[in-house]
Amino acid sequence: MKKFNFRKVLDGLTASSPGSSSGSNSGGGAGSASTHPTGTAAILREEVQETLTSDYFQICKTVRHGFPYQPTTLAFDPVQKILAIGTRTGAIRILGRPGVDCYCQHESGAAVLQLQFLINEGALVSASSDDTLHLWNLRQKKPAILHSLKFNRERITYCHLPFQSKWLYVGTERGNTHIVNIESFILSGYVIMWNKAIELSTKTHPGPVVHLSDSPRDEGKLLIGYENGTVVFWDLKSKRAELRVYYDEAIHSIDWHHEGKQFMCSHSDGSLTLWNLKSPSRPFQTTVPHGKSQREGRKPESCKPILKVEYKTCRNSEPFIIFSGGLSYDKACRRPSLTIMHGKAITVLEMDHPIVEFLTLCETPYPNEFQEPYAVAVLLEKDLIVVDLTQSNFPIFENPYPMDIHESPVTCTAYFADCPPDLILVLYSIGAKHKKQGYSNKEWPISGGAWNLGTQTYPEIIITGHADGSIKFWDASAITLQMLYKLKTSKVFEKQKVGEGKQTCEIVEEDPYAIQMIYWCPESRIFCVSGVSAYVIIYKFSRHEITTEIVSLEVRLQYDIEDIITPEPETSPPFPDLSSQLPSRSLSGSTNTVASEGVTKDSIPCLNVKTRPVRMPPGYQAELVIQLVWVDGEPPQQITSLAVSSAYGIVAFGNCNGLAVVDFIQKTVLLSMGTIDLYRSSDIYQRQPRSPRKNKQFIAGLTELNDSPVPQELERCKSPTSDHVNGHCTSPTSQSCSSGKRLSSADVSKINRWGPGRPPFRKAQSAACMEISLPVTTEESRENSYNRSRSSSISSIDKDSKEAITALYFMESFARKNDSTISPCLFVGTSLGMVLIISLNLPSADEQRFTEPVMVLPSGTFLSLKGAVLTFSCMDRTGGLMQPPYEVWRDPNNIDENEKSCRRKLVMNCPSPSQEIGDHQYTIICSEKQAKVFSLPSQTCLYVHNITETSFILQADVVVMCNSACLACFCANGHIMIMSLPSLRPMLDVNYLPLTDMRIARTFCFTNEGQALYLVSPTEIQRLTYSQEMCDNLQDMLGDLFTPIETPEAQNRGFLKGLFGGSGQTFDREELFGEASAGKASRSLAQHIPGPGGIEGMKGAAGGVMGELTRARIALDERGQRLGELEEKTAGMMTSAEAFSKHAHELMLKYKDKKWYQF
């Protein structure tokens, strides 16, 4: 009688319940989890104590790096020294000293038209394209909106906030000017209507308001600029126009001279006009800075519009006139420029991108003092630069922010947390030698805010790959980002001549050097990249400069499912000398040579590797270049998976044709095989050829991934593999089992090429060849079919679809079922959900590794999952994450090292030996649809979790969190899911980010310690955390935007200047614009919307000492408000008492002289 184990039933129920709910939430379908606790596997499960719970996880955004995407406007606080940039997407980036970088977002997503700081008040006003004003509170680390004011009937075109004023002037498209109280965000009843501002005789509308500013000489006078060229000097007290200025060219901008007697306008014809208030009938001076000189009496030549001008005065030198645009029309190819006029000197600074806006940074915030400009901040479409005005050659400041992430479009990313701490210093020291020179020697002028390191101390590195073939290493520690080192992979290739690219590189029309995949081992410093032109480059790190030839190999990787192979009984060529293998193309042994035009191209790479000696500076130096070559006139397919083992000295990569394994120590190809050939036998050297047959059988449930069917009438006959004939492994330069000779596939077999009836080549046969693997529809039936022995159904594998290699992983593991010892293995995952384990036979002695051959052969072990395989990982029997073995880094070019130190030092990370007979290792495998945990060597499936049914996973990684391993997944439907290991219990499932762009899928990546990132726009990296601890500590890590600084005192104007220089009386805006005198504005004109960052929101968000200070300030504000109300009531009572006294006095006078009988 079979014994019933009640505990196992409970274990199964416990594991299945959470999986079901997780699958349903994330994918919209019913997911499930199940266990199979049989034999020693059940004992192994009980030894793992999982410590992670759902309380450890929470999703939140941390910081955004890079240049603000599609910028629109710029603002600067001259006292706090912080800069704000608005964008078309409704975002605001606020920058201060390095580390002070804040991102805000309008919920509406409307474009930001203009930004205005409340100077030294810790607040910011934004005007958006949906005609709404917002007041942002910057006194907290995450700015929040305090108030909003939505205009209903008029469109906002320009805003102006005078220094130390609480009244904001708002110009509209209709030409009217409204006034808003900043404190209450309520519209004043005081309105300057356009028809009151212009003369009554004017018959045309002056156009939208393009400029507003109060006079530096008299705050009671407002300068209003209209688009059609009309300028009105408005007296706010008398509510009339004091003077009007007319010009026949449209106005783009206006700026005052600090004395308030003159102002300068920029116009659409490229002219600058200087106006004097004493003679407004015509301009005091008119210049066209970039126009050709004309004869006297003739109008200057028109130029492009001057979009903005700033007129800044200096105490000890001539004033600065700075403007953008205004170039001559005959210079069509000239780049956008900024012109600086200082005295008689005119300097034109050409920019790489169009100018969006610029601001002159001045020493004083007071508009009626000498401005003393010291820098110009120029916002370009794709960059931010600051020009030093204190030096005659106008150098630019070195930008401390990572504004050049998009210097070339980002094509892939990699994220490494808690990496070796010395790496950052090493990379920085190497990268500092290649920095650009010629920057200003002064400190970066945008230096506001405060920032400290916080509690996070572990080093982080982000690597970005770019379309031009460059690689950038970034220091991402403590939520900052700083450039460390830049590597240009295109330097290993010859520059393509005009017209040559079309002949060879037909995979991509442009960007042939674009980086597709990155693999980095921080411990060994081995770095490997694959490019869009089907190449792999392996780099080693060295502190020494060398000059050497670049070693290259060429690999012929094809999918010969219907090619006819005829073995030839030729003798094998002798084993060539290794030195003859090193130059480029020495390993392409095809019988076809590089074809002339009109003939089928074969065995040629897409790019040409440099054959001359190349100087390699310190840093990463190319060790080996591997290129896939053309086959029968078809270009090589792009690489879909990549893995490197520094301990084994092997690199493996695959595409939708098959798998290649290369020994980068001996510079030889170990394996080059089609995916189907990997299944056919556990011993690739002793297979028997099959007889020819028609390809009509299909396994039940196999999904066809071809974009068009192949005619089944074509007969196919071939030997066991296209690369193995007569018992020899015939991949280029690989070793045979017995003869010890290296054979080339072309030297051993003569291939009969297709005739006129050859079917057309299809580039994207598998979904995994694309940027996102498409979901497969019938995985379940295919999985059931493949659970049986793979070797017993070889014939059913022969199908028309291409099975791509989607994941690779080197590990010390059990290659075959019930193995007693671990050995070097390569895990191979395919687009059809199959997992194959390839055994690696390495020389036992370290000295023999450089001479003895490495044997590579499939072990015959097959595992299966739903969907394309994405990632692998291994754990020991205690649940600890096992790291792949690696070689300790040593400088390959260090001449001082003795013979003993030249030996390789390997860290194998093997599981602890155990006397018990049973399983010793977990293997975690995640695909697009599900995750499985197997125990090895029994290959028992312990846990299964169907993550999603209706969507598919884009990115999955096994990461370390709080010293425990977990599986992190990002799904195409926007869900981020975390599962504990090895039980696959759901810890977190949040609908975070829907897949709206392929860029997100290409760049999303997880790393250890609860960190992740993705490219949120073409120019910005968004970092996020899924760690509850980091979410709690995020406030301490962010910088402070506002720091208490005393406002500088105004300069003493002197007695005579105060007497003759302008209005001596102070201007009371409250009396003029307040409700008592101006009345209430129409309710239909604008709607006040309280923001979430108001007093109540601040009370809830405040905590600790800052919270107490905030609450104290709020209490003071409330007390001040109550005192103000009391003062208003007192004033009302006094007015009422005075009126009563007046009436009583009048009554007394009326009846003073009357007798008693006259009443």
Side-chain angles (χ1 to χ4, degrees):
M1 181 176 176
K2 187 176 180 180
K3 188 175 179 180
F4 183 81
N5 193 328
F6 186 71
R7 186 188 63 185
K8 295 179 182 178
V9 175
L10 290 179
D11 288 346
L13 291 174
T14 303
S16 62
S17 297
S20 178
S21 60
S22 173
S24 177
N25 291 338
S26 63
S32 64
S34 60
T35 59
H36 305 280
T38 59
T40 57
I43 300 174
L44 181 62
R45 287 190 345 160
E46 294 172 1
E47 294 184 3
V48 177
Q49 298 294 329
E50 296 185 6
T51 59
L52 293 179
T53 64
S54 58
D55 296 334
Y56 284 79
F57 300 95
Q58 181 184 345
I59 293 283
C60 71
K61 295 179 181 178
T62 54
V63 69
R64 183 172 293 200
H65 301 297
F67 181 75
Y69 184 54
Q70 295 180 331
T72 55
T73 186
L74 191 66
F76 182 70
D77 187 329
V79 179
Q80 289 289 321
K81 294 189 182 301
I82 55 176
L83 186 81
I85 301 173
T87 71
R88 291 184 193 174
T89 59
I92 299 175
R93 286 281 294 281
I94 304 173
L95 304 170
R97 67 175 68 248
V100 179
D101 187 344
C102 181
Y103 169 81
C104 317
Q105 176 68 49
H106 292 90
E107 290 185 2
S108 64
V112 180
L113 298 179
Q114 195 176 353
L115 296 172
Q116 285 274 315
F117 276 105
L118 277 67
I119 296 177
N120 204 28
E121 292 292 333
L124 176 71
V125 175
S126 62
S128 53
S129 60
D130 60 352
D131 306 309
T132 306
L133 298 173
H134 305 275
L135 178 63
W136 294 83
N137 177 23
L138 306 184
R139 290 176 179 257
Q140 54 196 59
K141 293 192 175 183
K142 284 190 175 181
I145 294 177
L146 295 172
H147 301 281
S148 297
L149 188 65
K150 169 74 173 174
F151 281 76
N152 297 323
R153 296 186 298 184
E154 298 192 52
R155 308 213 66 180
I156 299 172
T157 57
Y158 195 86
C159 298
H160 170 65
L161 180 65
F163 178 49
Q164 293 182 327
S165 169
K166 67 175 183 178
W167 296 95
L168 175 72
Y169 300 110
V170 181
T172 68
E173 194 174 35
R174 292 186 179 180
N176 302 324
T177 301
H178 300 274
I179 301 171
V180 179
N181 187 314
I182 289 298
E183 293 180 350
S184 61
F185 239 58
I186 296 175
L187 206 60
S188 169
Y190 192 109
V191 183
I192 304 174
M193 306 298 290
W194 68 271
N195 54 355
K196 301 290 185 182
I198 65 174
E199 288 185 350
L200 297 176
S201 59
T202 305
K203 298 180 180 179
T204 59
H205 190 279
V209 176
V210 296
H211 178 81
L212 291 168
S213 62
D214 53 340
S215 169
R217 194 179 185 187
D218 186 355
E219 295 176 349
K221 307 291 175 62
L222 183 68
L223 194 69
I224 308 173
Y226 295 95
E227 189 179 55
N228 72 341
T230 302
V231 180
V232 177
F233 195 49
W234 183 264
D235 190 332
L236 293 169
K237 288 184 178 178
S238 62
K239 299 182 181 180
R240 65 179 181 85
E242 186 170 303
L243 61 88
R244 297 180 180 89
V245 167
Y246 298 97
Y247 196 70
D248 55 359
E249 294 292 339
I251 292 177
H252 285 278
S253 69
I254 304 175
D255 200 20
W256 281 100
H257 187 280
H258 83 276
E259 292 181 349
K261 298 177 182 179
Q262 298 176 337
F263 61 89
M264 181 174 289
C265 302
S266 69
H267 299 278
S268 57
D269 63 344
S271 64
L272 297 173
T273 55
L274 184 64
W275 299 83
N276 197 318
L277 295 182
K278 292 183 178 179
S279 56
S281 58
R282 60 190 181 91
F284 174 73
Q285 182 181 355
T286 302
T287 58
V288 183
H290 294 295
K292 292 182 179 179
S293 59
Q294 302 285 345
R295 294 179 182 177
E296 293 184 4
R298 295 186 61 183
K299 186 178 179 181
E301 178 194 24
S302 295
C303 293
K304 296 177 182 179
I306 295 179
L307 302 178
K308 185 176 182 179
V309 64
E310 292 204 348
Y311 188 21
K312 303 300 178 185
T313 54
C314 303
R315 187 180 298 275
N316 299 320
S317 66
E318 296 290 327
F320 280 91
I321 299 174
I322 305 170
F323 61 89
S324 61
L327 296 178
S328 176
Y329 279 106
D330 61 354
K331 298 177 181 178
C333 297
R334 196 164 183 176
R335 294 188 295 178
S337 65
L338 183 78
T339 303
I340 301 175
M341 300 173 63
H342 189 212
K344 295 182 180 180
I346 300 178
T347 304
V348 179
L349 304 178
E350 292 189 342
M351 305 294 169
D352 294 331
H353 310 285
I355 297 175
V356 176
E357 192 177 353
F358 72 89
L359 284 175
T360 306
L361 312 187
C362 301
E363 295 288 352
T364 177
Y366 295 96
N368 56 356
E369 298 178 355
F370 283 101
Q371 298 300 290
E372 302 294 344
Y374 58 89
V376 181
V378 187
L379 179 64
L380 308 178
E381 278 191 359
K382 294 184 178 181
D383 201 1
L384 172 68
I385 64 170
V386 181
V387 181
D388 187 357
L389 294 179
T390 60
Q391 300 183 41
S392 59
N393 59 339
F394 303 128
I396 65 172
F397 290 89
E398 185 178 4
N399 198 327
Y401 313 121
M403 293 292 183
D404 58 345
I405 292 176
H406 62 287
E407 184 180 16
S408 175
V410 178
T411 55
C412 62
T413 58
Y415 194 4
F416 300 87
D418 204 10
C419 49
D422 61 327
L423 269 178
I424 291 179
L425 293 176
V426 169
L427 290 172
Y428 182 79
S429 62
I430 296 296
K433 299 176 183 178
H434 305 286
K435 279 191 174 183
K436 296 179 181 178
Q437 304 297 322
Y439 291 111
S440 171
N441 54 10
K442 294 191 175 182
E443 292 186 1
W444 180 252
I446 305 169
S447 56
W451 177 77
N452 53 33
L453 288 174
T455 57
Q456 181 181 333
T457 56
Y458 55 83
E460 299 173 73
I461 292 179
I462 294 174
I463 305 177
T464 55
H466 299 264
D468 63 351
S470 61
I471 303 286
K472 292 182 180 179
F473 291 77
W474 306 85
D475 177 13
S477 306
I479 69 172
T480 61
L481 196 69
Q482 183 182 6
M483 177 80 157
L484 292 175
Y485 174 69
K486 183 177 179 179
L487 173 66
K488 295 181 179 179
T489 63
S490 60
K491 287 188 174 182
V492 304
F493 300 106
E494 298 283 0
K495 291 184 178 179
Q496 288 186 319
K497 298 178 182 178
V498 178
E500 184 184 10
K502 274 289 181 184
Q503 297 178 6
T504 58
C505 188
E506 295 183 9
I507 294 183
V508 287
E509 295 181 357
E510 54 185 17
D511 298 328
Y513 308 111
I515 304 299
Q516 257 189 325
M517 305 185 76
I518 293 172
Y519 194 99
W520 188 42
C521 177
E523 290 79 12
S524 65
R525 303 185 188 177
I526 291 288
F527 185 66
C528 185
V529 299
S530 69
V532 72
S533 298
Y535 64 83
V536 172
I537 308 177
I538 300 169
Y539 289 91
K540 286 188 176 181
F541 189 85
S542 175
R543 298 176 184 268
H544 304 279
E545 179 180 316
I546 60 169
T547 300
T548 183
E549 289 188 2
I550 299 173
V551 183
S552 66
L553 297 177
E554 293 176 359
V555 178
R556 186 183 182 91
L557 192 59
Q558 57 185 334
Y559 194 87
D560 292 329
I561 192 167
E562 291 175 351
D563 284 357
I564 300 175
I565 308 297
T566 305
E568 294 287 344
E570 299 182 31
T571 57
S572 301
F575 191 98
D577 191 13
L578 182 60
S579 60
S580 66
Q581 301 288 329
L582 300 186
S584 176
R585 295 202 188 136
S586 62
L587 301 171
S588 58
S590 172
T591 54
N592 289 357
T593 57
V594 177
S596 59
E597 191 170 354
V599 183
T600 301
K601 287 179 281 189
D602 191 74
S603 298
I604 59 173
C606 295
L607 300 172
N608 296 323
V609 179
K610 291 180 178 177
T611 55
R612 63 183 182 278
V614 177
R615 185 187 71 85
M616 298 183 185
Y620 274 105
Q621 300 166 349
E623 175 78 5
L624 177 65
V625 180
I626 309 165
Q627 290 182 283
L628 296 180
V629 296
W630 288 61
V631 178
D632 294 343
E634 296 295 343
Q637 296 297 293
Q638 295 180 3
I639 294 168
T640 56
S641 57
L642 177 68
V644 182
S645 174
S646 59
Y648 305 154
I650 294 175
V651 58
F653 58 93
N655 60 11
C656 58
N657 284 340
L659 172 69
V661 181
V662 176
D663 182 347
F664 63 81
I665 293 179
Q666 297 186 28
K667 311 296 189 299
T668 58
V669 180
L670 303 176
L671 182 71
S672 176
M673 187 181 291
T675 311
I676 287 183
D677 298 327
L678 297 174
Y679 295 114
R680 291 199 173 119
S681 175
S682 60
D683 186 353
I684 60 174
Y685 304 106
Q686 301 193 9
R687 291 177 295 182
Q688 298 300 320
R690 293 181 288 109
S691 59
R693 62 174 183 80
K694 287 188 177 181
N695 183 18
K696 290 185 178 181
Q697 289 182 321
F698 291 88
I699 188 168
L702 272 175
T703 304
E704 179 60 61
L705 295 181
N706 282 351
D707 49 2
S708 60
V710 176
Q712 297 184 7
E713 297 83 359
L714 295 175
E715 293 189 352
R716 176 181 171 280
C717 173
K718 58 181 289 185
S719 60
T721 69
S722 58
D723 294 323
H724 305 86
V725 181
N726 298 334
H728 295 288
C729 177
T730 59
S731 297
T733 73
S734 66
Q735 304 287 342
S736 73
C737 292
S738 56
S739 63
K741 297 180 180 179
R742 181 182 295 117
L743 304 179
S744 172
S745 58
D747 295 332
V748 178
S749 62
K750 301 293 183 181
I751 303 175
N752 295 330
R753 304 299 173 190
W754 285 108
R758 177 183 174 184
F761 186 81
R762 292 177 295 279
K763 289 188 178 180
Q765 303 286 354
S766 169
C769 295
M770 307 176 192
E771 288 183 328
I772 289 186
S773 301
L774 299 176
V776 182
T777 56
T778 57
E779 304 87 343
E780 191 66 45
S781 59
R782 176 170 50 79
E783 181 191 11
N784 296 334
S785 301
Y786 277 96
N787 283 336
R788 299 185 295 273
S789 172
R790 189 65 188 249
S791 60
S792 64
S793 56
I794 293 178
S795 60
S796 61
I797 300 299
D798 298 332
K799 47 189 289 296
D800 294 340
S801 66
K802 289 190 175 183
E803 187 174 4
I805 306 298
T806 57
L808 295 168
Y809 181 67
F810 286 100
M811 193 61 196
E812 293 282 312
S813 186
F814 301 93
R816 296 172 181 84
K817 191 171 184 178
N818 298 323
D819 274 0
S820 58
T821 58
I822 61 171
S823 60
C825 296
L826 171 63
F827 287 78
V828 180
T830 74
S831 58
L832 297 182
M834 296 304 301
V835 176
L836 305 88
I837 302 180
I838 293 180
S839 178
L840 308 175
N841 188 1
L842 301 172
S844 56
D846 184 64
E847 295 81 5
Q848 298 175 343
R849 179 62 186 88
F850 298 90
T851 56
E852 293 296 320
V854 176
M855 309 306 297
V856 178
L857 67 158
S859 66
T861 299
F862 307 109
L863 307 172
S864 65
L865 291 87
K866 296 180 184 179
V869 178
L870 299 179
T871 189
F872 298 96
S873 192
C874 287
M875 301 174 70
D876 58 28
R877 63 182 302 158
T878 63
L881 189 64
M882 295 176 58
Q883 299 297 334
Y886 63 88
E887 177 188 3
V888 178
W889 176 78
R890 58 186 177 86
D891 198 326
N893 303 318
N894 196 346
I895 307 173
D896 300 332
E897 287 186 349
N898 54 32
E899 205 173 298
K900 185 177 180 181
S901 63
C902 287
R903 297 187 60 182
R904 302 172 71 224
K905 299 178 182 178
L906 305 182
V907 178
M908 302 307 293
N909 294 323
C910 297
S912 57
S914 175
Q915 300 297 327
E916 299 179 14
I917 300 175
D919 290 345
H920 304 279
Q921 194 179 75
Y922 291 109
T923 295
I924 300 101
I925 308 173
C926 185
S927 72
E928 290 178 332
K929 292 290 185 177
Q930 66 178 188
K932 285 187 178 182
V933 176
F934 294 90
S935 62
L936 298 180
S938 69
Q939 299 180 9
T940 303
C941 181
L942 291 180
Y943 301 96
V944 182
H945 183 67
N946 292 327
I947 300 173
T948 178
E949 294 292 343
T950 59
S951 186
F952 53 96
I953 298 172
L954 296 169
Q955 181 66 32
D957 283 296
V958 175
V959 294
V960 175
M961 175 88 169
C962 300
N963 298 321
S964 297
C966 58
L967 176 64
C969 301
F970 175 55
C971 198
N973 59 11
H975 283 251
I976 291 179
M977 294 156 283
I978 311 292
M979 285 153 279
S980 68
L981 291 175
S983 66
L984 297 177
R985 288 183 297 110
M987 298 283 102
L988 178 73
D989 187 352
V990 176
N991 189 0
Y992 171 76
L993 177 74
L995 180 62
T996 56
D997 199 310
M998 289 298 301
R999 176 183 59 252
I1000 299 173
R1002 190 176 64 245
T1003 58
F1004 198 102
C1005 54
F1006 296 97
T1007 189
N1008 297 332
E1009 307 300 336
Q1011 306 283 355
L1013 66 80
Y1014 60 94
L1015 204 66
V1016 68
S1017 73
T1019 62
E1020 296 169 291
I1021 289 177
Q1022 177 66 58
R1023 291 168 67 180
L1024 61 135
T1025 181
Y1026 49 92
S1027 166
Q1028 178 69 57
E1029 182 183 2
M1030 187 168 183
C1031 289
D1032 295 339
N1033 298 329
L1034 185 59
Q1035 289 290 327
D1036 298 331
M1037 300 170 66
L1038 297 175
D1040 292 302
L1041 296 174
F1042 178 80
T1043 53
I1045 299 175
E1046 283 193 23
T1047 302
E1049 294 184 2
Q1051 295 178 2
N1052 192 356
R1053 301 183 65 192
F1055 175 74
L1056 293 177
K1057 225 171 213 184
L1059 186 63
F1060 302 107
S1063 176
Q1065 59 183 353
T1066 58
F1067 176 62
D1068 190 356
R1069 294 187 178 92
E1070 180 70 33
E1071 180 183 352
L1072 190 60
F1073 302 144
E1075 187 177 329
S1077 57
K1080 292 184 178 181
S1082 172
R1083 291 186 177 181
S1084 61
L1085 183 60
Q1087 176 187 1
H1088 176 258
I1089 305 170
I1095 292 179
E1096 293 301 324
M1098 291 171 64
K1099 285 180 180 178
V1105 178
M1106 291 303 296
E1108 293 297 330
L1109 293 175
T1110 305
R1111 280 192 286 272
R1113 185 177 179 278
I1114 293 170
L1116 287 174
D1117 290 343
E1118 291 175 348
R1119 182 172 178 271
Q1121 186 177 357
R1122 287 194 295 270
L1123 287 174
E1125 293 174 357
L1126 182 61
E1127 186 179 354
E1128 290 177 1
K1129 289 180 181 179
T1130 305
M1133 292 175 65
M1134 289 180 63
T1135 304
S1136 178
E1138 288 177 358
F1140 178 77
S1141 174
K1142 182 179 179 182
H1143 286 80
H1145 184 68
E1146 290 175 353
L1147 187 64
M1148 181 196 69
L1149 292 177
K1150 182 178 180 181
Y1151 295 105
K1152 179 179 180 183
D1153 298 328
K1154 289 187 178 183
K1155 303 296 182 180
W1156 62 271
Y1157 53 81
Q1158 292 178 330
F1159 287 100

